Amino acid sequence: MDAYEQIQALMAKKYGKETGTRKAIGDFMLSDNHAVNVRSNNVDKENYSPNMISIKKMHEWVFEERKELSFLFVDYSERGGELTILKETAPIPIEQLCWVCLTIEAQGYGVIQMSSTLKIVENQTKRDFYRGFLAAYDNYRQKELKKHEKFFQKIYKRFGYYNLVTIRDSNTYER
C-alpha cells in the first residue's frame, strides 16, 4: 500500500468509515450523500498543482444531484517507509474553498487543481462558490479555445490545399 492509500485509510478510519466507495467522487463517504476527498501532500517533495476533482464529476455530484463534497487536506513526511502526519484539516465543504487558490486545467472536461496555498472562506455559500466556478470555467474555456485555434492554424497552414469537409461516412478528403 503506497503512502496515499495509507493516508486515505487512516483518515477514513478516523471518521469510522472505509475507503473504496465512489472513488471518482471521494475517497470515503461520511453518508450516502456526503463524499470526502483526501488530498495528501508529502512536504519533502515538490507537488505542483495537485488534481482535486474533475469539474464534470464535481458539477454532477454537488450541483445537479445536490449532494455534499468535502476535502480533507493532509501534510505528511515519509522516511524509511514510515509515514508521519504533520498536519491535517477536518473535512472542508467544497463551497468553503476560495477560488483564489484553485484553478481549472486541461484534462477531460477540465480538472480543479490547487494552484496556491489553501484559502478557506467559512461563510461562503454554494451559490458564491458556483459563481467563482463559472468565472474560472470561462477562463479555462477561453484558454482552451485559443490553444485549439493555434493548433488548427498550424495544421491548416500545412495542409490548407485540401478543402475543409465534414467527414461523416468517409475517411477521404476532397481536393
Side-chain angles (χ1 to χ4, degrees), residues 145-158:
L145 286 170
K146 287 177 188 171
K147 178 176 79 176
H148 289 285
E149 181 60 27
K150 184 177 178 181
F151 184 64
F152 174 78
Q153 291 302 325
K154 177 182 173 184
I155 293 170
Y156 186 74
K157 186 185 263 185
R158 182 169 178 176

Side-chain angles (χ1 to χ4, degrees), residues 15 48 93 109 112:
Y15 290 90
Y48 296 102
Y109 286 92
I112 297 175

Side-chain angles (χ1 to χ4, degrees), residues 3 62 68 84 93 136 148 166:
V62 176
E68 301 298 318
T84 303
H148 289 285
T166 303

Side-chain angles (χ1 to χ4, degrees), residues 83-111:
L83 285 179
T84 303
I85 305 293
L86 304 171
K87 185 170 85 172
E88 68 184 79
T89 67
I92 301 167
I94 194 168
E95 65 267 20
Q96 292 182 1
L97 299 177
C98 182
W99 279 99
V100 168
C101 69
L102 303 174
T103 186
I104 298 174
E105 296 300 331
Q107 189 175 33
Y109 286 92
V111 65

Side-chain angles (χ1 to χ4, degrees), residues 109-171:
Y109 286 92
V111 65
I112 297 175
Q113 291 184 344
M114 180 78 69
S115 59
S116 64
T117 305
L118 177 64
K119 183 169 179 185
I120 300 168
V121 182
E122 290 183 12
N123 61 351
Q124 181 172 252
T125 65
K126 279 189 180 174
R127 177 177 282 205
D128 294 335
F129 178 82
Y130 196 69
R131 284 185 186 128
F133 163 71
L134 290 175
Y137 186 61
D138 189 48
N139 288 339
Y140 164 73
R141 280 184 345 94
Q142 295 303 320
K143 187 169 66 173
E144 288 297 297
L145 286 170
K146 287 177 188 171
K147 178 176 79 176
H148 289 285
E149 181 60 27
K150 184 177 178 181
F151 184 64
F152 174 78
Q153 291 302 325
K154 177 182 173 184
I155 293 170
Y156 186 74
K157 186 185 263 185
R158 182 169 178 176
F159 299 105
Y161 56 90
Y162 290 111
N163 290 328
L164 295 177
V165 295
T166 303
I167 302 170
R168 292 204 172 137
D169 299 323
S170 170
N171 287 327

Side-chain angles (χ1 to χ4, degrees), residues 36-60:
V36 177
N37 199 316
V38 178
R39 300 287 87 201
S40 59
N41 173 44
N42 184 341
V43 298
D44 299 322
K45 295 182 178 180
E46 292 184 32
N47 289 344
Y48 296 102
S49 300
N51 290 346
M52 293 178 63
I53 190 167
S54 151
I55 63 169
K56 188 172 189 282
K57 291 188 185 306
M58 179 275 300
H59 190 272
E60 289 169 353

